[in-house]
Coordinates of all heavy atoms in Angstrom, one line a residue:
K1164 N -10.0 22.4 -4.1 CA -9.2 23.1 -3.2 C -9.6 22.9 -1.8 O -8.7 22.8 -0.9 CB -9.1 24.6 -3.5 CG -8.4 24.9 -4.8 CD -8.3 26.4 -5.0 CE -7.5 26.7 -6.2 NZ -7.3 28.1 -6.4
K1165 N -10.9 22.8 -1.6 CA -11.4 22.6 -0.2 C -10.9 21.3 0.3 O -10.5 21.2 1.5 CB -12.9 22.7 -0.2 CG -13.5 22.5 1.1 CD -15.0 22.6 1.1 CE -15.6 22.4 2.5 NZ -17.1 22.5 2.5
R1166 N -11.0 20.2 -0.5 CA -10.6 18.9 -0.1 C -9.1 18.9 0.3 O -8.6 18.2 1.2 CB -10.9 17.8 -1.1 CG -12.4 17.5 -1.1 CD -12.7 16.4 -2.1 NE -12.1 15.2 -1.8 CZ -11.8 14.2 -2.7 NH1 -12.2 14.4 -4.0 NH2 -11.2 13.1 -2.4
L1167 N -8.3 19.6 -0.5 CA -6.9 19.7 -0.3 C -6.6 20.4 1.1 O -5.8 19.9 1.9 CB -6.1 20.4 -1.4 CG -6.0 19.7 -2.7 CD1 -5.5 20.6 -3.8 CD2 -5.2 18.5 -2.6
A1168 N -7.3 21.4 1.3 CA -7.2 22.2 2.6 C -7.6 21.3 3.8 O -6.9 21.3 4.8 CB -8.0 23.4 2.6
E1169 N -8.7 20.6 3.6 CA -9.2 19.7 4.7 C -8.1 18.6 4.9 O -7.9 18.2 6.1 CB -10.5 19.1 4.3 CG -11.7 20.1 4.3 CD -12.9 19.5 3.7 OE1 -12.9 18.4 3.1 OE2 -14.0 20.2 3.9
T1170 N -7.6 18.0 3.9 CA -6.6 17.0 4.0 C -5.3 17.5 4.8 O -4.8 16.9 5.7 CB -6.2 16.4 2.7 OG1 -7.3 15.8 2.1 CG2 -5.1 15.4 2.8
T1171 N -4.9 18.7 4.4 CA -3.7 19.3 5.0 C -4.0 19.5 6.5 O -3.2 19.2 7.4 CB -3.4 20.7 4.4 OG1 -3.1 20.4 3.0 CG2 -2.2 21.4 5.0
E1172 N -5.2 20.0 6.8 CA -5.5 20.3 8.2 C -5.6 19.0 9.0 O -5.2 18.9 10.2 CB -6.9 21.0 8.4 CG -6.7 22.5 8.2 CD -5.7 23.1 9.1 OE1 -5.8 22.9 10.4 OE2 -4.8 23.8 8.7
K1173 N -6.2 18.0 8.4 CA -6.3 16.6 9.1 C -4.9 16.1 9.5 O -4.7 15.7 10.6 CB -7.0 15.7 8.1 CG -7.1 14.2 8.7 CD -7.9 13.3 7.8 CE -7.1 12.9 6.6 NZ -7.7 11.8 5.8
Y1174 N -4.0 16.2 8.5 CA -2.6 15.7 8.8 C -1.9 16.6 9.8 O -1.0 16.2 10.5 CB -1.9 15.4 7.5 CG -2.3 14.1 7.0 CD1 -3.3 14.0 6.0 CD2 -1.8 12.9 7.5 CE1 -3.7 12.8 5.5 CE2 -2.2 11.7 7.0 CZ -3.2 11.6 6.0 OH -3.6 10.4 5.6
R1175 N -2.1 17.9 9.7 CA -1.5 18.8 10.7 C -1.9 18.4 12.1 O -1.1 18.4 13.0 CB -1.9 20.3 10.5 CG -1.1 21.0 9.4 CD -1.4 22.5 9.4 NE -0.8 23.1 8.2 CZ -1.3 24.1 7.6 NH1 -2.4 24.7 8.0 NH2 -0.7 24.5 6.5
A1176 N -3.2 18.1 12.3 CA -3.7 17.7 13.6 C -3.0 16.3 14.0 O -2.6 16.2 15.2 CB -5.2 17.5 13.6
K1177 N -2.9 15.4 13.1 CA -2.3 14.1 13.4 C -0.8 14.3 13.7 O -0.3 13.6 14.7 CB -2.4 13.2 12.2 CG -3.8 12.7 12.0 CD -3.9 11.7 10.9 CE -5.3 11.2 10.7 NZ -5.4 10.0 9.8
I1178 N -0.1 15.2 13.0 CA 1.3 15.5 13.4 C 1.4 16.1 14.7 O 2.3 15.7 15.5 CB 1.9 16.3 12.3 CG1 2.1 15.5 11.0 CG2 3.3 16.9 12.7 CD1 2.5 16.3 9.8
A1179 N 0.5 17.0 15.1 CA 0.6 17.6 16.4 C 0.3 16.5 17.5 O 0.9 16.5 18.5 CB -0.5 18.7 16.5
E1180 N -0.6 15.6 17.2 CA -0.9 14.5 18.1 C 0.3 13.6 18.3 O 0.5 13.0 19.4 CB -2.1 13.7 17.6 CG -3.4 14.4 17.7 CD -4.6 13.6 17.1 OE1 -4.3 12.6 16.5 OE2 -5.7 14.1 17.1
A1181 N 1.1 13.5 17.3 CA 2.4 12.7 17.4 C 3.5 13.5 18.2 O 4.2 12.9 18.9 CB 2.8 12.3 16.1
E1182 N 3.5 14.8 17.9 CA 4.6 15.6 18.5 C 4.4 15.8 20.0 O 5.4 15.7 20.7 CB 4.6 17.0 17.8 CG 5.2 17.0 16.4 CD 5.1 18.3 15.8 OE1 4.2 19.1 16.1 OE2 6.0 18.6 14.9
I1183 N 3.2 16.0 20.5 CA 3.0 16.3 21.9 C 3.5 15.1 22.8 O 4.3 15.4 23.7 CB 1.6 16.7 22.2 CG1 1.3 18.1 21.5 CG2 1.3 16.8 23.6 CD1 -0.1 18.5 21.4
P1184 N 3.0 13.9 22.6 CA 3.5 12.8 23.5 C 5.0 12.5 23.3 O 5.7 12.2 24.2 CB 2.6 11.6 23.1 CG 1.7 12.0 22.1 CD 1.9 13.4 21.7
G1185 N 5.4 12.7 22.0 CA 6.8 12.5 21.7 C 7.7 13.5 22.5 O 8.7 13.1 23.1
A1186 N 7.3 14.7 22.5 CA 8.1 15.7 23.3 C 8.0 15.5 24.8 O 9.1 15.6 25.4 CB 7.5 17.1 23.0
S1187 N 6.9 15.0 25.3 CA 6.8 14.7 26.7 C 7.7 13.5 27.0 O 8.4 13.6 28.0 CB 5.3 14.3 27.0 OG 5.2 13.9 28.3
R1188 N 7.7 12.5 26.2 CA 8.5 11.3 26.5 C 10.0 11.7 26.3 O 10.9 11.2 27.1 CB 8.2 10.1 25.5 CG 6.8 9.6 25.8 CD 6.4 8.4 25.0 NE 7.4 7.8 24.1 CZ 7.2 7.7 22.8 NH1 6.1 8.1 22.2 NH2 8.2 7.1 22.0
L1189 N 10.3 12.5 25.4 CA 11.7 13.0 25.2 C 12.2 13.8 26.4 O 13.3 13.5 26.9 CB 11.8 13.9 23.9 CG 13.2 14.5 23.6 CD1 14.2 13.4 23.4 CD2 13.1 15.4 22.4
H1190 N 11.3 14.6 26.9 CA 11.7 15.4 28.1 C 11.9 14.5 29.3 O 12.8 14.7 30.1 CB 10.6 16.4 28.4 CG 10.8 17.2 29.6 ND1 11.8 18.2 29.7 CD2 10.2 17.2 30.9 CE1 11.8 18.7 30.9 NE2 10.8 18.1 31.6
E1191 N 11.0 13.5 29.5 CA 11.2 12.6 30.6 C 12.5 11.8 30.5 O 13.2 11.7 31.5 CB 10.0 11.6 30.6 CG 8.7 12.2 31.0 CD 7.5 11.2 30.8 OE1 7.8 10.0 30.5 OE2 6.4 11.7 31.0
A1192 N 12.8 11.3 29.3 CA 14.1 10.6 29.2 C 15.3 11.5 29.4 O 16.3 11.1 30.1 CB 14.1 10.0 27.8
A1193 N 15.2 12.7 28.9 CA 16.3 13.6 29.1 C 16.5 14.0 30.6 O 17.6 14.1 31.1 CB 16.1 14.9 28.2
A1194 N 15.4 14.2 31.2 CA 15.4 14.6 32.7 C 16.0 13.4 33.5 O 16.6 13.7 34.5 CB 14.0 14.9 33.1
A1195 N 15.8 12.2 33.0 CA 16.3 11.0 33.7 C 17.7 10.8 33.4 O 18.4 9.9 33.9 CB 15.4 9.8 33.4
G1196 N 18.3 11.6 32.4 CA 19.7 11.4 32.0 C 19.9 10.2 31.1 O 21.0 9.7 31.0
D1197 N 18.8 9.7 30.5 CA 18.9 8.6 29.6 C 19.0 9.0 28.2 O 18.0 9.1 27.5 CB 17.6 7.7 29.8 CG 17.7 6.3 29.2 OD1 18.6 6.1 28.3 OD2 16.9 5.5 29.5
A1198 N 20.2 9.3 27.8 CA 20.5 9.8 26.4 C 20.1 8.8 25.3 O 19.5 9.2 24.3 CB 21.9 10.2 26.3
E1199 N 20.3 7.6 25.6 CA 20.0 6.5 24.6 C 18.4 6.5 24.4 O 18.0 6.4 23.2 CB 20.5 5.2 25.1 CG 20.3 4.1 24.0 CD 21.0 2.8 24.5 OE1 22.1 2.8 24.9 OE2 20.3 1.8 24.4
R1200 N 17.7 6.5 25.5 CA 16.2 6.5 25.4 C 15.8 7.8 24.7 O 14.8 7.7 23.9 CB 15.6 6.4 26.8 CG 14.1 6.4 26.8 CD 13.5 5.1 26.4 NE 12.0 5.3 26.5 CZ 11.2 5.1 25.5 NH1 11.7 4.6 24.3 NH2 9.9 5.2 25.6
A1201 N 16.3 8.9 25.0 CA 15.9 10.2 24.4 C 16.2 10.1 22.9 O 15.3 10.6 22.2 CB 16.7 11.3 25.1
A1202 N 17.3 9.6 22.5 CA 17.6 9.5 21.1 C 16.6 8.6 20.4 O 16.1 8.9 19.3 CB 19.0 9.0 20.8
A1203 N 16.2 7.5 21.0 CA 15.2 6.6 20.5 C 13.9 7.2 20.3 O 13.2 7.0 19.3 CB 15.2 5.3 21.3
V1204 N 13.5 7.9 21.4 CA 12.2 8.6 21.4 C 12.1 9.6 20.2 O 11.2 9.7 19.5 CB 11.8 9.2 22.7 CG1 10.7 10.2 22.6 CG2 11.6 8.2 23.8
Q1205 N 13.2 10.4 20.1 CA 13.3 11.4 19.1 C 13.2 10.8 17.7 O 12.5 11.3 16.8 CB 14.6 12.2 19.2 CG 14.6 13.4 18.3 CD 15.8 14.3 18.5 OE1 16.8 13.8 19.2 NE2 15.8 15.5 18.1
A1206 N 13.9 9.7 17.5 CA 13.9 9.0 16.2 C 12.5 8.5 15.9 O 12.0 8.6 14.8 CB 14.9 7.9 16.2
E1207 N 11.8 7.9 16.9 CA 10.5 7.3 16.7 C 9.5 8.5 16.3 O 8.7 8.3 15.4 CB 10.0 6.7 18.0 CG 10.7 5.4 18.3 CD 10.3 4.9 19.8 OE1 9.3 5.4 20.4 OE2 11.0 4.0 20.2
T1208 N 9.6 9.6 17.0 CA 8.7 10.7 16.8 C 9.0 11.3 15.3 O 8.0 11.5 14.6 CB 8.9 11.8 17.8 OG1 8.7 11.3 19.1 CG2 8.0 13.0 17.6
Q1209 N 10.2 11.4 15.0 CA 10.5 11.9 13.6 C 10.0 10.9 12.6 O 9.5 11.4 11.5 CB 12.0 12.1 13.5 CG 12.5 13.3 14.3 CD 14.1 13.4 14.3 OE1 14.8 12.5 13.9 NE2 14.5 14.6 14.7
D1210 N 10.2 9.6 12.8 CA 9.7 8.6 11.8 C 8.2 8.7 11.7 O 7.7 8.7 10.6 CB 10.1 7.2 12.3 CG 11.5 6.9 12.1 OD1 12.2 7.7 11.4 OD2 12.0 5.9 12.7
E1211 N 7.5 8.9 12.8 CA 6.0 9.0 12.7 C 5.6 10.3 12.0 O 4.7 10.2 11.1 CB 5.4 9.0 14.1 CG 3.9 9.2 14.2 CD 3.1 8.0 13.6 OE1 3.8 6.9 13.3 OE2 1.9 8.1 13.5
I1212 N 6.3 11.4 12.2 CA 5.9 12.6 11.5 C 6.2 12.5 10.0 O 5.4 12.9 9.2 CB 6.7 13.8 12.2 CG1 6.2 14.1 13.6 CG2 6.6 15.0 11.3 CD1 7.0 15.0 14.4
R1213 N 7.3 11.9 9.7 CA 7.7 11.7 8.3 C 6.6 10.8 7.6 O 6.2 11.1 6.5 CB 9.1 11.0 8.1 CG 9.5 10.8 6.7 CD 10.8 10.0 6.6 NE 11.0 9.0 7.5 CZ 10.5 7.8 7.5 NH1 9.6 7.5 6.5 NH2 10.8 6.9 8.4
R1214 N 6.2 9.7 8.3 CA 5.2 8.8 7.7 C 3.9 9.6 7.5 O 3.2 9.4 6.5 CB 4.9 7.7 8.7 CG 4.0 6.6 8.2 CD 3.7 5.6 9.2 NE 2.9 6.1 10.3 CZ 1.6 6.4 10.2 NH1 0.9 6.3 9.1 NH2 0.9 6.9 11.2
L1215 N 3.5 10.4 8.5 CA 2.3 11.2 8.3 C 2.3 12.2 7.2 O 1.4 12.4 6.4 CB 1.9 11.9 9.6 CG 1.5 11.0 10.8 CD1 1.5 11.7 12.1 CD2 0.1 10.4 10.4
R1216 N 3.5 12.9 7.0 CA 3.7 13.8 5.9 C 3.6 13.1 4.6 O 3.0 13.6 3.6 CB 5.0 14.6 6.1 CG 5.0 15.6 7.2 CD 6.3 16.4 7.3 NE 6.1 17.4 8.3 CZ 7.1 17.8 9.1 NH1 8.3 17.3 8.9 NH2 6.9 18.7 10.0
E1217 N 4.2 11.9 4.5 CA 4.1 11.2 3.2 C 2.7 10.7 2.9 O 2.3 10.8 1.8 CB 5.0 10.0 3.3 CG 6.5 10.3 3.3 CD 7.4 9.1 3.6 OE1 6.9 8.0 4.0 OE2 8.7 9.3 3.5
A1218 N 2.0 10.3 4.0 CA 0.6 9.9 3.8 C -0.3 11.1 3.3 O -1.1 11.0 2.4 CB 0.0 9.4 5.1
C1219 N 0.0 12.3 3.9 CA -0.7 13.5 3.5 C -0.4 13.8 2.0 O -1.4 14.1 1.2 CB -0.2 14.7 4.3 SG -1.0 16.2 3.9
E1220 N 0.8 13.7 1.6 CA 1.2 14.0 0.2 C 0.5 13.0 -0.8 O 0.0 13.3 -1.8 CB 2.7 14.0 0.0 CG 3.3 15.3 0.6 CD 2.7 16.6 0.0 OE1 2.5 16.7 -1.2 OE2 2.4 17.4 0.9
R1221 N 0.5 11.7 -0.4 CA -0.2 10.7 -1.2 C -1.7 11.0 -1.3 O -2.2 10.9 -2.4 CB 0.0 9.3 -0.6 CG 1.3 8.6 -0.9 CD 1.3 7.1 -0.5 NE 0.9 6.9 0.9 CZ 1.7 6.9 1.9 NH1 3.0 7.1 1.7 NH2 1.3 6.6 3.1
E1222 N -2.3 11.3 -0.2 CA -3.7 11.6 -0.3 C -4.0 12.9 -1.1 O -5.0 12.9 -1.9 CB -4.2 11.8 1.2 CG -5.8 11.8 1.2 CD -6.3 11.8 2.6 OE1 -5.7 11.1 3.5 OE2 -7.3 12.4 2.9
K1223 N -3.2 13.9 -1.0 CA -3.4 15.1 -1.9 C -3.2 14.8 -3.3 O -3.9 15.3 -4.2 CB -2.4 16.2 -1.4 CG -2.9 16.8 0.0 CD -2.2 18.1 0.4 CE -0.8 18.1 0.4 NZ -0.2 19.3 1.0
K1224 N -2.2 13.9 -3.7 CA -2.0 13.5 -5.1 C -3.3 12.8 -5.6 O -3.6 13.0 -6.7 CB -0.8 12.6 -5.2 CG 0.5 13.4 -5.2 CD 1.7 12.5 -5.3 CE 3.0 13.3 -5.3 NZ 4.2 12.4 -5.5
E1225 N -3.8 11.9 -4.8 CA -5.1 11.2 -5.1 C -6.2 12.2 -5.4 O -6.9 12.1 -6.4 CB -5.5 10.2 -4.1 CG -4.6 9.0 -3.9 CD -5.0 8.1 -2.8 OE1 -6.1 8.2 -2.3 OE2 -4.2 7.3 -2.4
I1226 N -6.3 13.2 -4.6 CA -7.3 14.2 -4.8 C -7.1 15.0 -6.1 O -8.1 15.2 -6.8 CB -7.4 15.2 -3.6 CG1 -7.9 14.5 -2.3 CG2 -8.2 16.4 -3.9 CD1 -7.7 15.3 -1.0
R1227 N -5.9 15.3 -6.4 CA -5.5 16.0 -7.6 C -5.6 15.1 -8.9 O -5.6 15.6 -10.0 CB -4.1 16.5 -7.6 CG -3.9 17.6 -6.6 CD -2.4 18.1 -6.6 NE -2.1 18.9 -5.5 CZ -1.2 18.6 -4.6 NH1 -0.5 17.5 -4.7 NH2 -0.9 19.4 -3.6
G1228 N -5.7 13.8 -8.6 CA -5.8 12.8 -9.7 C -4.4 12.4 -10.3 O -4.3 11.9 -11.4
E1229 N -3.4 12.7 -9.5 CA -2.1 12.3 -9.9 C -1.8 10.8 -9.5 O -2.4 10.3 -8.6 CB -1.0 13.2 -9.2 CG -1.1 14.6 -9.6 CD -0.2 15.5 -8.8 OE1 0.8 15.0 -8.2 OE2 -0.4 16.7 -8.9
K1230 N -0.8 10.2 -10.1 CA -0.4 8.9 -9.7 C 0.7 8.9 -8.7 O 1.4 9.7 -8.5 CB 0.0 8.1 -10.9 CG -1.2 7.8 -11.8 CD -0.7 6.8 -12.9 CE -2.0 6.5 -13.8 NZ -1.6 5.5 -14.8

């Protein structure tokens, strides 16, 4: 259980690290009135968060001994 909790916390931190610069870049693009860039930044950030969540789940399955 401890390893599962550590894994969850590790990925929570990584997700936060992805969200903060993404939110900043999104704000900059929106402030500049660049809707296309804002949409691209939002999509990139969401993709990165999804990738990190999937990696977290894979790692937790490995810890549990699942395939």
Side-chain angles (χ1 to χ4, degrees):
K1164 287 185 179 186
K1165 182 180 178 182
R1166 286 182 60 204
L1167 289 172
E1169 289 171 348
T1170 298
T1171 299
E1172 278 306 308
K1173 175 176 79 172
Y1174 280 96
R1175 277 189 191 149
K1177 288 182 178 193
I1178 288 169
E1180 289 173 357
E1182 287 176 330
I1183 293 168
S1187 176
R1188 291 183 8 236
L1189 178 63
H1190 178 73
E1191 289 171 8
D1197 190 346
E1199 187 175 310
R1200 175 81 179 123
V1204 168
Q1205 186 174 21
E1207 289 170 12
T1208 302
Q1209 289 173 344
D1210 287 346
E1211 178 66 9
I1212 291 168
R1213 180 183 40 77
R1214 187 188 68 74
L1215 289 167
R1216 286 183 176 146
E1217 289 171 354
C1219 180
E1220 288 305 313
R1221 276 194 307 274
E1222 193 169 323
K1223 290 193 303 189
K1224 283 182 179 180
E1225 289 176 17
I1226 292 168
R1227 292 183 195 115
E1229 299 174 12
K1230 289 188 178 183

